[in-house]
Amino acid sequence: MIEKPKEKQRQRAPSQRSLATRERILDAAEQLFSEHGFDGASIRDIASKAGVQGALVNHHGGSKEDLFFTVVARRAGVLAEHRLAALEARKTEDEADLRGILSAFIGPFLELTTHSGPQWRAYGRLIAHVSADERWRPISEVCFDPTAQVFTSELSRVLPGASPRQIGAGFVFMVSAILSLSTSTWRIGDLSGSADTDDLMQTLLDYCEAGFRAIGSPG
Amino acid sequence: MIEKPKEKQRQRAPSQRSLATRERILDAAEQLFSEHGFDGASIRDIASKAGVQGALVNHHGGSKEDLFFTVVARRAGVLAEHRLAALEARKTEDEADLRGILSAFIGPFLELTTHSGPQWRAYGRLIAHVSADERWRPISEVCFDPTAQVFTSELSRVLPGASPRQIGAGFVFMVSAILSLSTSTWRIGDLSGSADTDDLMQTLLDYCEAGFRAIGSPG
DNA sequence: CCTTATTTTTAACGTTCGTTCAATCTAAAA
DNA sequence: TTTTAGATTGAACGAACGTTAAAAATAAGG
């Protein structure tokens, strides 16, 4: 499902039109997968939204599972770069304390998923699906675990009193809270405005920071 | 999808065998819905797991959406009763402080989903699906929102400094963290033992209590 | 026991699914 | 310009889907 080694090398550069078509297909898949999940979104729906024939989806994306992996992985690298860059920036400015670490993890995600257009917003919901369904654990391991390990080790550094299991639990709680902002915004209220989003990020940061401190300190 | 008013009254009591068959079907649906989601679980799979013919699933459960709602609603009342009873018990013992309220909400869920057999364990994952997919919002409103309102008003009482939006955000964060224990246990590590579950409940309680206090206090 | 409402099976309906294949169109490379 | 790899279309495949209808089996009620 993940490996894709068998691709006989191409003999011509892809045309600009085909590249654009491929992106349109991936965008359509991203939206429909995020709205209806893997099983709820059909190849035909994706093709229709992209304005192409169904067979073209298989041609550009391979099997449906290949397509799903491609869509998830497409933005995973960008997200990881933003997070790790934010972490490094905090480090060089001696702000790599608990709140700084959490900000470096939470900030880029909320920034991208709320201020970078509908595709990134859809990607937030898509990650929620990936994270909730054990079926996609291999995708998580490839796309998100490396970054997660960097941050958990940083958290262990600033919270020496917490066991690895406690760090892991707190990290899962934080991730689930972050993703809930992509899936359950209607539970809290309308936060389409940018100011509300920043407010909510502060609330989330306060919540997670205090939670980690409670975990990391005895008693 | 939710309403089910058209049932012409029956003229004979259902046999014990049919009642048992119905429960077997609901149990099978509960397990498969929780593992593969609504679209990923087929009527034929459910029938096969229940040991009956496919048509019998429709006969006992109605349409697939009706069946899903029935499965979710079946244990929702029991869960709500446990939570509200725990809350009342804390109130009469003057332990209805923040931690007492959170314990009354978290404790019964973890107790049921980890110590009451595989069906309740499946039910935990099932609720995670309901909570994550906006498609099932009507089900959430019927099955879970009444209890949620009781607890959020209690939280507002003990956290007068927090706005309704902050209370709502904290509640969503807490719910998502609770459900993550049903869906992402593999992220934290192997916690199949019962002792570990109790440890994790303490960690979750510490985390959420501190988070709520941070939200509820100025600064 | 007899009647028949209800349960259960068997079979099939029409639809949609993911995927494949051959034909056609497009455009990169020589 | 010519060649032809690659992009795109159109059509079809077999399989699985949710659902329905009519028999057959079962058991409740008289």
Short mmCIF file of all heavy atoms in Angstrom, two decimals, chain D residues 1-2 5-6 8 11 13 17-18 21-26 29-30:
data_model
loop_
_atom_site.label_atom_id
_atom_site.label_comp_id
_atom_site.label_asym_id
_atom_site.label_seq_id
_atom_site.Cartn_x
_atom_site.Cartn_y
_atom_site.Cartn_z
P DT D 1 4.89 21.79 -40.19
OP1 DT D 1 4.33 22.78 -41.03
OP2 DT D 1 4.40 21.25 -38.97
"O5'" DT D 1 5.52 20.63 -41.03
"C5'" DT D 1 6.73 20.66 -41.76
"C4'" DT D 1 7.21 19.25 -41.81
"O4'" DT D 1 8.11 19.05 -40.68
"C3'" DT D 1 6.10 18.20 -41.63
"O3'" DT D 1 6.45 17.02 -42.35
"C2'" DT D 1 6.09 17.99 -40.11
"C1'" DT D 1 7.57 18.11 -39.78
N1 DT D 1 7.83 18.64 -38.40
C2 DT D 1 8.65 17.95 -37.59
O2 DT D 1 9.20 16.92 -37.91
N3 DT D 1 8.84 18.53 -36.35
C4 DT D 1 8.29 19.70 -35.87
O4 DT D 1 8.53 20.11 -34.76
C5 DT D 1 7.44 20.37 -36.80
C7 DT D 1 6.78 21.65 -36.39
C6 DT D 1 7.24 19.84 -38.00
P DT D 2 5.42 15.81 -42.51
OP1 DT D 2 5.48 15.31 -43.91
OP2 DT D 2 4.13 16.24 -41.94
"O5'" DT D 2 6.09 14.73 -41.56
"C5'" DT D 2 7.47 14.42 -41.73
"C4'" DT D 2 7.91 13.49 -40.62
"O4'" DT D 2 8.10 14.23 -39.39
"C3'" DT D 2 6.90 12.37 -40.31
"O3'" DT D 2 7.58 11.13 -40.26
"C2'" DT D 2 6.29 12.79 -38.97
"C1'" DT D 2 7.44 13.56 -38.32
N1 DT D 2 7.03 14.60 -37.34
C2 DT D 2 7.69 14.68 -36.14
O2 DT D 2 8.59 13.95 -35.82
N3 DT D 2 7.24 15.70 -35.32
C4 DT D 2 6.23 16.60 -35.58
O4 DT D 2 5.93 17.46 -34.77
C5 DT D 2 5.58 16.45 -36.84
C7 DT D 2 4.47 17.38 -37.23
C6 DT D 2 6.01 15.47 -37.66
P DA D 5 7.15 5.03 -28.32
OP1 DA D 5 8.47 4.65 -28.81
OP2 DA D 5 6.05 4.06 -28.32
"O5'" DA D 5 7.32 5.63 -26.85
"C5'" DA D 5 8.21 6.72 -26.63
"C4'" DA D 5 7.60 7.72 -25.65
"O4'" DA D 5 6.60 8.53 -26.33
"C3'" DA D 5 6.88 7.10 -24.45
"O3'" DA D 5 7.14 7.89 -23.30
"C2'" DA D 5 5.42 7.13 -24.84
"C1'" DA D 5 5.35 8.41 -25.67
N9 DA D 5 4.33 8.37 -26.72
C8 DA D 5 4.01 7.32 -27.54
N7 DA D 5 3.05 7.59 -28.39
C5 DA D 5 2.72 8.89 -28.12
C6 DA D 5 1.76 9.77 -28.70
N6 DA D 5 0.94 9.42 -29.69
N1 DA D 5 1.68 11.00 -28.19
C2 DA D 5 2.51 11.35 -27.18
N3 DA D 5 3.44 10.62 -26.57
C4 DA D 5 3.49 9.39 -27.10
P DG D 6 6.55 7.48 -21.87
OP1 DG D 6 7.52 7.88 -20.85
OP2 DG D 6 6.10 6.07 -21.97
"O5'" DG D 6 5.27 8.39 -21.72
"C5'" DG D 6 5.43 9.81 -21.73
"C4'" DG D 6 4.08 10.47 -21.86
"O4'" DG D 6 3.45 10.07 -23.10
"C3'" DG D 6 3.07 10.11 -20.75
"O3'" DG D 6 2.55 11.30 -20.22
"C2'" DG D 6 2.00 9.30 -21.47
"C1'" DG D 6 2.08 9.87 -22.86
N9 DG D 6 1.59 8.96 -23.89
C8 DG D 6 1.99 7.66 -24.13
N7 DG D 6 1.37 7.11 -25.13
C5 DG D 6 0.51 8.10 -25.59
C6 DG D 6 -0.41 8.09 -26.65
O6 DG D 6 -0.66 7.17 -27.44
N1 DG D 6 -1.08 9.31 -26.77
C2 DG D 6 -0.87 10.40 -25.96
N2 DG D 6 -1.59 11.49 -26.20
N3 DG D 6 -0.01 10.43 -24.95
C4 DG D 6 0.64 9.24 -24.83
P DT D 8 -4.27 14.79 -19.15
OP1 DT D 8 -4.50 16.26 -19.19
OP2 DT D 8 -4.01 14.11 -17.86
"O5'" DT D 8 -5.51 14.09 -19.84
"C5'" DT D 8 -5.91 14.53 -21.14
"C4'" DT D 8 -6.96 13.61 -21.71
"O4'" DT D 8 -6.35 12.34 -22.08
"C3'" DT D 8 -8.10 13.22 -20.76
"O3'" DT D 8 -9.26 13.95 -21.11
"C2'" DT D 8 -8.27 11.70 -20.95
"C1'" DT D 8 -7.40 11.40 -22.16
N1 DT D 8 -6.78 10.04 -22.14
C2 DT D 8 -7.09 9.16 -23.16
O2 DT D 8 -7.83 9.43 -24.07
N3 DT D 8 -6.49 7.92 -23.05
C4 DT D 8 -5.61 7.50 -22.05
O4 DT D 8 -5.13 6.37 -22.07
C5 DT D 8 -5.33 8.47 -21.02
C7 DT D 8 -4.43 8.11 -19.89
C6 DT D 8 -5.93 9.67 -21.12
P DA D 11 -19.31 5.82 -25.27
OP1 DA D 11 -20.15 5.80 -26.48
OP2 DA D 11 -19.78 6.52 -24.05
"O5'" DA D 11 -18.96 4.31 -24.88
"C5'" DA D 11 -18.03 3.59 -25.68
"C4'" DA D 11 -17.64 2.28 -25.00
"O4'" DA D 11 -16.64 2.53 -23.98
"C3'" DA D 11 -18.80 1.56 -24.31
"O3'" DA D 11 -18.92 0.24 -24.82
"C2'" DA D 11 -18.43 1.59 -22.83
"C1'" DA D 11 -16.91 1.69 -22.87
N9 DA D 11 -16.32 2.30 -21.68
C8 DA D 11 -16.69 3.47 -21.08
N7 DA D 11 -15.97 3.76 -20.02
C5 DA D 11 -15.08 2.72 -19.92
C6 DA D 11 -14.04 2.44 -19.00
N6 DA D 11 -13.74 3.23 -17.97
N1 DA D 11 -13.33 1.31 -19.19
C2 DA D 11 -13.65 0.52 -20.22
N3 DA D 11 -14.59 0.67 -21.15
C4 DA D 11 -15.28 1.81 -20.93
P DC D 13 -19.06 -6.26 -21.20
OP1 DC D 13 -19.17 -7.40 -22.13
OP2 DC D 13 -20.26 -5.64 -20.62
"O5'" DC D 13 -18.10 -6.68 -20.00
"C5'" DC D 13 -16.73 -6.95 -20.27
"C4'" DC D 13 -15.96 -7.07 -18.96
"O4'" DC D 13 -15.74 -5.75 -18.41
"C3'" DC D 13 -16.73 -7.84 -17.89
"O3'" DC D 13 -16.31 -9.20 -17.91
"C2'" DC D 13 -16.32 -7.15 -16.58
"C1'" DC D 13 -15.73 -5.82 -16.99
N1 DC D 13 -16.49 -4.63 -16.46
C2 DC D 13 -15.98 -3.91 -15.39
O2 DC D 13 -14.92 -4.28 -14.86
N3 DC D 13 -16.66 -2.83 -14.93
C4 DC D 13 -17.80 -2.47 -15.51
N4 DC D 13 -18.43 -1.41 -15.04
C5 DC D 13 -18.33 -3.20 -16.62
C6 DC D 13 -17.66 -4.26 -17.05
P DC D 17 -19.71 -5.89 0.10
OP1 DC D 17 -18.89 -5.41 1.21
OP2 DC D 17 -20.32 -7.22 0.14
"O5'" DC D 17 -20.85 -4.81 -0.16
"C5'" DC D 17 -20.48 -3.46 -0.51
"C4'" DC D 17 -21.67 -2.71 -1.06
"O4'" DC D 17 -22.00 -3.25 -2.36
"C3'" DC D 17 -22.94 -2.91 -0.25
"O3'" DC D 17 -22.97 -2.00 0.83
"C2'" DC D 17 -24.02 -2.60 -1.28
"C1'" DC D 17 -23.36 -2.94 -2.63
N1 DC D 17 -23.95 -4.11 -3.33
C2 DC D 17 -25.02 -3.93 -4.21
O2 DC D 17 -25.46 -2.79 -4.39
N3 DC D 17 -25.55 -5.01 -4.85
C4 DC D 17 -25.03 -6.22 -4.62
N4 DC D 17 -25.57 -7.26 -5.28
C5 DC D 17 -23.94 -6.43 -3.74
C6 DC D 17 -23.45 -5.36 -3.11
P DG D 18 -23.85 -2.33 2.09
OP1 DG D 18 -23.37 -1.48 3.18
OP2 DG D 18 -23.88 -3.79 2.25
"O5'" DG D 18 -25.31 -1.84 1.66
"C5'" DG D 18 -25.49 -0.49 1.26
"C4'" DG D 18 -26.91 -0.26 0.77
"O4'" DG D 18 -27.15 -1.10 -0.39
"C3'" DG D 18 -28.01 -0.63 1.80
"O3'" DG D 18 -29.04 0.34 1.75
"C2'" DG D 18 -28.45 -2.01 1.34
"C1'" DG D 18 -28.26 -1.93 -0.16
N9 DG D 18 -27.99 -3.24 -0.77
C8 DG D 18 -27.06 -4.17 -0.35
N7 DG D 18 -27.04 -5.26 -1.09
C5 DG D 18 -27.99 -5.02 -2.05
C6 DG D 18 -28.42 -5.86 -3.13
O6 DG D 18 -28.02 -6.98 -3.45
N1 DG D 18 -29.42 -5.23 -3.88
C2 DG D 18 -29.94 -3.99 -3.63
N2 DG D 18 -30.88 -3.56 -4.46
N3 DG D 18 -29.55 -3.20 -2.62
C4 DG D 18 -28.59 -3.79 -1.88
P DA D 21 -41.07 -4.72 -2.35
OP1 DA D 21 -41.92 -3.88 -3.22
OP2 DA D 21 -41.25 -4.70 -0.89
"O5'" DA D 21 -41.23 -6.23 -2.83
"C5'" DA D 21 -40.67 -6.61 -4.09
"C4'" DA D 21 -40.88 -8.10 -4.32
"O4'" DA D 21 -39.77 -8.84 -3.75
"C3'" DA D 21 -42.15 -8.65 -3.67
"O3'" DA D 21 -42.82 -9.52 -4.57
"C2'" DA D 21 -41.65 -9.38 -2.43
"C1'" DA D 21 -40.24 -9.81 -2.83
N9 DA D 21 -39.31 -9.86 -1.70
C8 DA D 21 -39.22 -8.97 -0.67
N7 DA D 21 -38.28 -9.26 0.21
C5 DA D 21 -37.71 -10.42 -0.29
C6 DA D 21 -36.66 -11.24 0.17
N6 DA D 21 -35.98 -10.99 1.30
N1 DA D 21 -36.34 -12.33 -0.56
C2 DA D 21 -37.04 -12.58 -1.68
N3 DA D 21 -38.04 -11.88 -2.22
C4 DA D 21 -38.33 -10.80 -1.47
P DA D 22 -44.26 -10.10 -4.24
OP1 DA D 22 -45.11 -9.92 -5.42
OP2 DA D 22 -44.70 -9.58 -2.92
"O5'" DA D 22 -43.96 -11.66 -4.06
"C5'" DA D 22 -43.09 -12.29 -4.99
"C4'" DA D 22 -42.58 -13.60 -4.44
"O4'" DA D 22 -41.59 -13.36 -3.42
"C3'" DA D 22 -43.66 -14.47 -3.78
"O3'" DA D 22 -43.47 -15.81 -4.13
"C2'" DA D 22 -43.40 -14.25 -2.30
"C1'" DA D 22 -41.89 -14.15 -2.29
N9 DA D 22 -41.34 -13.49 -1.11
C8 DA D 22 -41.79 -12.36 -0.50
N7 DA D 22 -41.09 -12.00 0.56
C5 DA D 22 -40.11 -12.98 0.65
C6 DA D 22 -39.06 -13.18 1.57
N6 DA D 22 -38.81 -12.38 2.60
N1 DA D 22 -38.27 -14.26 1.38
C2 DA D 22 -38.53 -15.08 0.34
N3 DA D 22 -39.49 -14.98 -0.58
C4 DA D 22 -40.26 -13.91 -0.37
P DA D 23 -44.56 -16.95 -3.89
OP1 DA D 23 -45.55 -16.93 -4.96
OP2 DA D 23 -45.03 -16.84 -2.48
"O5'" DA D 23 -43.68 -18.26 -4.03
"C5'" DA D 23 -43.79 -19.29 -3.09
"C4'" DA D 23 -42.47 -19.51 -2.35
"O4'" DA D 23 -42.09 -18.28 -1.69
"C3'" DA D 23 -42.56 -20.58 -1.26
"O3'" DA D 23 -41.66 -21.65 -1.56
"C2'" DA D 23 -42.20 -19.87 0.03
"C1'" DA D 23 -41.51 -18.60 -0.44
N9 DA D 23 -41.69 -17.48 0.48
C8 DA D 23 -42.65 -16.51 0.40
N7 DA D 23 -42.56 -15.62 1.36
C5 DA D 23 -41.47 -16.03 2.11
C6 DA D 23 -40.84 -15.50 3.26
N6 DA D 23 -41.28 -14.39 3.86
N1 DA D 23 -39.77 -16.15 3.74
C2 DA D 23 -39.35 -17.25 3.11
N3 DA D 23 -39.84 -17.84 2.02
C4 DA D 23 -40.91 -17.17 1.57
P DA D 24 -42.03 -23.09 -1.04
OP1 DA D 24 -41.35 -24.04 -1.94
OP2 DA D 24 -43.48 -23.12 -0.87
"O5'" DA D 24 -41.36 -23.18 0.41
"C5'" DA D 24 -39.96 -23.04 0.53
"C4'" DA D 24 -39.57 -22.83 1.99
"O4'" DA D 24 -40.01 -21.51 2.40
"C3'" DA D 24 -40.21 -23.83 2.96
"O3'" DA D 24 -39.18 -24.50 3.65
"C2'" DA D 24 -41.04 -22.95 3.92
"C1'" DA D 24 -40.46 -21.57 3.73
N9 DA D 24 -41.42 -20.47 3.89
C8 DA D 24 -42.56 -20.25 3.16
N7 DA D 24 -43.22 -19.18 3.51
C5 DA D 24 -42.47 -18.65 4.55
C6 DA D 24 -42.63 -17.49 5.34
N6 DA D 24 -43.66 -16.65 5.21
N1 DA D 24 -41.69 -17.25 6.28
C2 DA D 24 -40.67 -18.11 6.41
N3 DA D 24 -40.40 -19.21 5.71
C4 DA D 24 -41.35 -19.43 4.79
P DA D 25 -39.55 -25.66 4.69
OP1 DA D 25 -38.53 -26.70 4.53
OP2 DA D 25 -40.99 -25.98 4.59
"O5'" DA D 25 -39.30 -24.94 6.10
"C5'" DA D 25 -38.09 -24.20 6.28
"C4'" DA D 25 -38.12 -23.46 7.60
"O4'" DA D 25 -39.04 -22.35 7.49
"C3'" DA D 25 -38.59 -24.29 8.80
"O3'" DA D 25 -37.72 -24.03 9.90
"C2'" DA D 25 -39.99 -23.78 9.08
"C1'" DA D 25 -39.89 -22.33 8.63
N9 DA D 25 -41.15 -21.72 8.20
C8 DA D 25 -42.04 -22.21 7.29
N7 DA D 25 -43.07 -21.44 7.09
C5 DA D 25 -42.86 -20.35 7.94
C6 DA D 25 -43.60 -19.18 8.20
N6 DA D 25 -44.77 -18.90 7.61
N1 DA D 25 -43.10 -18.32 9.10
C2 DA D 25 -41.93 -18.60 9.69
N3 DA D 25 -41.14 -19.67 9.53
C4 DA D 25 -41.67 -20.51 8.63
P DT D 26 -37.82 -24.90 11.22
OP1 DT D 26 -36.45 -25.18 11.67
OP2 DT D 26 -38.80 -25.98 10.98
"O5'" DT D 26 -38.48 -23.89 12.26
"C5'" DT D 26 -37.91 -22.59 12.41
"C4'" DT D 26 -38.85 -21.69 13.17
"O4'" DT D 26 -40.00 -21.37 12.34
"C3'" DT D 26 -39.42 -22.28 14.47
"O3'" DT D 26 -38.99 -21.49 15.55
"C2'" DT D 26 -40.95 -22.22 14.27
"C1'" DT D 26 -41.09 -21.14 13.21
N1 DT D 26 -42.33 -21.21 12.37
C2 DT D 26 -43.20 -20.15 12.39
O2 DT D 26 -43.02 -19.16 13.05
N3 DT D 26 -44.30 -20.30 11.58
C4 DT D 26 -44.60 -21.39 10.77
O4 DT D 26 -45.62 -21.40 10.09
C5 DT D 26 -43.64 -22.46 10.80
C7 DT D 26 -43.86 -23.69 9.96
C6 DT D 26 -42.55 -22.34 11.60
P DG D 29 -48.44 -14.41 22.50
OP1 DG D 29 -48.50 -12.96 22.60
OP2 DG D 29 -48.09 -15.25 23.67
"O5'" DG D 29 -49.83 -14.93 21.90
"C5'" DG D 29 -50.28 -14.43 20.64
"C4'" DG D 29 -51.67 -14.93 20.34
"O4'" DG D 29 -51.61 -16.27 19.80
"C3'" DG D 29 -52.61 -15.01 21.54
"O3'" DG D 29 -53.93 -14.65 21.14
"C2'" DG D 29 -52.54 -16.49 21.95
"C1'" DG D 29 -52.36 -17.18 20.59
N9 DG D 29 -51.59 -18.43 20.67
C8 DG D 29 -50.56 -18.72 21.53
N7 DG D 29 -50.06 -19.92 21.35
C5 DG D 29 -50.82 -20.45 20.31
C6 DG D 29 -50.75 -21.71 19.67
O6 DG D 29 -49.97 -22.66 19.89
N1 DG D 29 -51.69 -21.83 18.66
C2 DG D 29 -52.59 -20.86 18.31
N2 DG D 29 -53.43 -21.14 17.30
N3 DG D 29 -52.68 -19.66 18.91
C4 DG D 29 -51.75 -19.53 19.87
P DG D 30 -55.10 -14.46 22.18
OP1 DG D 30 -55.67 -13.12 21.95
OP2 DG D 30 -54.57 -14.84 23.51
"O5'" DG D 30 -56.17 -15.56 21.76
"C5'" DG D 30 -56.71 -15.53 20.44
"C4'" DG D 30 -57.31 -16.90 20.11
"O4'" DG D 30 -56.28 -17.87 19.97
"C3'" DG D 30 -58.25 -17.43 21.18
"O3'" DG D 30 -59.62 -17.22 20.79
"C2'" DG D 30 -57.96 -18.94 21.25
"C1'" DG D 30 -56.76 -19.13 20.35
N9 DG D 30 -55.66 -19.85 21.01
C8 DG D 30 -54.89 -19.39 22.03
N7 DG D 30 -53.98 -20.24 22.42
C5 DG D 30 -54.19 -21.35 21.61
C6 DG D 30 -53.51 -22.58 21.57
O6 DG D 30 -52.57 -22.96 22.28
N1 DG D 30 -54.05 -23.42 20.59
C2 DG D 30 -55.08 -23.10 19.77
N2 DG D 30 -55.44 -24.03 18.89
N3 DG D 30 -55.72 -21.95 19.79
C4 DG D 30 -55.22 -21.12 20.73
#
